Amino acid sequence: MASGRSLLPYSSCYCWLNCDFRNTYLFSLEDLHRSGVFCCIYYKNYPNQTEHKGISVSARLFVVHMIRIRSFRLNISLLTFVSYACCLSGFLSAQGSKNEKMPWAMDNNVIELSCDVPGDQFFRVILNPMPISPQVAFYKASQAEREWQGTTGRYNGRIIAEAPRWPIEVVYEEADEYMAGGNYALLKNRNIPPPQAYTLVTPDIKRNNDISTLSRTFGDYEKDFEFLTNKRDEILREAELGESASDWNKAMAFAEFAYQKRKTSSSPLKRGRYIHAVDFCVHGDFCVGAANAFAGLCSTIDIPVRLMAFSHHTCAEAFVDGKWRYVENSVPILDSLRTLPGGQEVGPMFTFSFLEMINDPPTRSFPYMKMDYVDFTCLSDDKRGVLEIFYELHANWIFHLYGMYKDAPYYNVDFSLGSARELRILYPNERTLTYKSDSIPRMWLTSFGNTTAGENLSNWMVIEQGTSIRQTFYINDLRGVKSVKAYIPVPQKFWRAMPEDGGEWYYRVNDRKLYIKDAGGWNYAYHPEIKGNCIMFDIPLEALNVDQR
């Protein structure tokens, strides 16, 4: 049942399935009802920090045993009533629970770093805003207080959950596939959490508020919006698309307009001046303006769009027909595709996602250019070596987004594409995801880069004797695994009185406790990908939980 049904991300009520925490799935009640499934619902004492639709709950998981009865259809209103009643009962009864043995969400492994002996030793960890739900409850204020908790920070006036930058790296003996002469390793569906494992908490963006960016053309919100809706109607009319036309055709028309407008932009001296959606529609400009215009036009008919910024270029993805679709505006790339013999897609909107494209550009006839997509991994543009790929999340209203004018406010939430967790968050519905690394077949399970919420500022938390910090991560199979390592970026100046041999500090992987001194003391060095000094831990493979689905 769990592997055979689609997951519906937007239903109002959910049930947890399967008593094995590591193999938990979310199904909507409507989905269950259509399947002819009878649910026997009760709860087990598995506390979990979770969040649903912005409400943080510490409650017992509800175990739903599924009995398939082909001739039976349970009334959806009765099932909804029973489920809500059970959820309320479980929530109220779980408030006194302090047993925090299980990880959060779909993760099946926990690593903790602690020192039970009081004293003045401490170090600091980097916290990043992480707009994901449920939040990682990663910080224990003291050993006496068993409750794990998370933290939140205020970014541009908006409160967003934070998480420690504590990347977990898995290195394999062999990749599933290599490309570009062995320069890049492809790892297919390895350690990618199940679909809908996480929820992306997107900005609550409202039109015409104090963070709206106004155009240079009008400088007035109402006129900007009126112009954009009129431009939308004009584009659809010229494309002979009526109100009943598909979202695919409408979005393609907007993408084609942005590409053609960029292609016919006026003097290069104006580039970078007209990047607001309205200004681009009037004057044309370069890639940021084209992507902004596309997102702005799509927002008028409620098609979600997000932008990608990398290597001094910006393109987009649009959520159409239940899938993220890559949208390009580079004139050389799109012109090149149009000169090739038939058989390949020519865009500017494609049936595949941006991730699917960078995993193997040659098969999609993408040409070698100054910005060569072959050199992109899930981490960065390898040719430049320093720039990560950042997604600007769910740009439903473009006037708050990346690349707006320096003399006007803008609001954005960026999310780096680098880890298995981030891939799942960015592509929550995909059954198969391929992670592309460099020549070494390795992947990061948790983020090592910056996730920002309008500010590129790092926050710090002190971890001292008597307190603890933890990270959670998901592993589905250990076959072919060469090593698993944990890294915590810690600049030297943020250490205090830390004994070189590790003293009484230890790390615990699931239920296995390992003292730093037994591993030869603190392993502290610079890491070129993380681009910072880190303390490092080898994680014993035998201590790990796996989910060999």
Side-chain angles (χ1 to χ4, degrees), residues 7-21:
L7 306 180
L8 304 183
Y10 303 118
S11 300
S12 61
C13 185
Y14 292 84
C15 294
W16 280 281
L17 305 187
N18 195 326
C19 60
D20 181 357
F21 187 88

Side-chain angles (χ1 to χ4, degrees), residues 29-40:
L29 293 174
E30 182 181 3
D31 202 26
L32 300 177
H33 176 57
R34 285 198 304 266
S35 303
V37 173
F38 176 74
C39 301
C40 175

Side-chain angles (χ1 to χ4, degrees), residues 81-127:
F81 173 79
V82 171
S83 297
Y84 275 129
C86 288
C87 288
L88 179 61
S89 172
F91 172 74
L92 294 176
S93 65
Q95 296 310 296
S97 176
K98 299 289 185 179
N99 182 12
E100 285 284 354
K101 290 186 177 180
M102 299 304 292
W104 70 294
M106 300 294 174
D107 293 339
N108 55 6
N109 289 279
V110 179
I111 182 172
E112 304 169 9
L113 181 58
S114 310
C115 183
D116 298 335
V117 179
D120 60 358
Q121 300 168 17
F122 77 83
F123 60 90
R124 295 184 181 181
V125 296
I126 301 172
L127 300 182

Side-chain angles (χ1 to χ4, degrees), residues 37-205:
V37 173
F38 176 74
C39 301
C40 175
I41 304 175
Y42 65 96
Y43 61 84
K44 296 281 286 185
N45 188 22
Y46 292 156
N48 181 42
Q49 288 286 341
T50 188
E51 181 179 291
H52 179 57
K53 298 197 172 180
I55 302 172
S56 182
V57 177
S58 178
R60 291 172 179 145
L61 293 178
F62 297 98
V63 184
V64 184
H65 281 256
M66 315 306 296
I67 304 173
R68 175 79 179 180
I69 304 177
R70 295 182 181 275
S71 61
F72 181 77
R73 290 292 185 274
L74 182 64
N75 183 276
I76 188 66
S77 61
L78 175 60
L79 182 56
T80 302
F81 173 79
V82 171
S83 297
Y84 275 129
C86 288
C87 288
L88 179 61
S89 172
F91 172 74
L92 294 176
S93 65
Q95 296 310 296
S97 176
K98 299 289 185 179
N99 182 12
E100 285 284 354
K101 290 186 177 180
M102 299 304 292
W104 70 294
M106 300 294 174
D107 293 339
N108 55 6
N109 289 279
V110 179
I111 182 172
E112 304 169 9
L113 181 58
S114 310
C115 183
D116 298 335
V117 179
D120 60 358
Q121 300 168 17
F122 77 83
F123 60 90
R124 295 184 181 181
V125 296
I126 301 172
L127 300 182
N128 288 136
M130 298 291 286
I132 62 175
S133 175
Q135 181 191 9
V136 178
F138 63 86
Y139 178 63
K140 188 180 287 186
S142 70
Q143 295 296 332
E145 292 291 330
R146 294 179 57 83
E147 188 76 19
W148 288 93
Q149 55 192 264
T151 66
T152 56
R154 185 175 292 274
Y155 299 87
N156 277 4
R158 182 167 180 263
I159 295 175
I160 295 181
E162 297 173 320
R165 196 188 303 174
W166 189 346
I168 309 295
E169 179 194 49
V170 176
V171 179
Y172 289 90
E173 298 286 352
E174 293 289 338
D176 293 306
E177 186 178 335
Y178 289 91
M179 62 169 297
N183 291 327
Y184 301 100
L186 301 182
L187 300 166
K188 299 183 178 180
N189 244 27
R190 299 201 194 185
N191 305 321
I192 305 292
Q196 301 301 332
Y198 313 104
T199 299
L200 191 60
V201 182
T202 54
D204 184 21
I205 293 176

Side-chain angles (χ1 to χ4, degrees), residues 458-474:
S458 295
N459 296 308
W460 302 92
M461 171 173 280
V462 173
I463 306 300
E464 56 190 350
Q465 289 177 280
T467 66
S468 303
I469 187 174
R470 75 173 180 178
Q471 177 64 283
T472 65
F473 53 97
Y474 175 80

Side-chain angles (χ1 to χ4, degrees), residues 263-280:
K263 188 174 182 179
T264 57
S265 289
S266 53
S267 171
L269 296 177
K270 297 180 180 179
R271 294 191 170 215
R273 178 172 175 81
Y274 299 123
I275 57 179
H276 187 285
V278 169
D279 295 333
F280 179 88

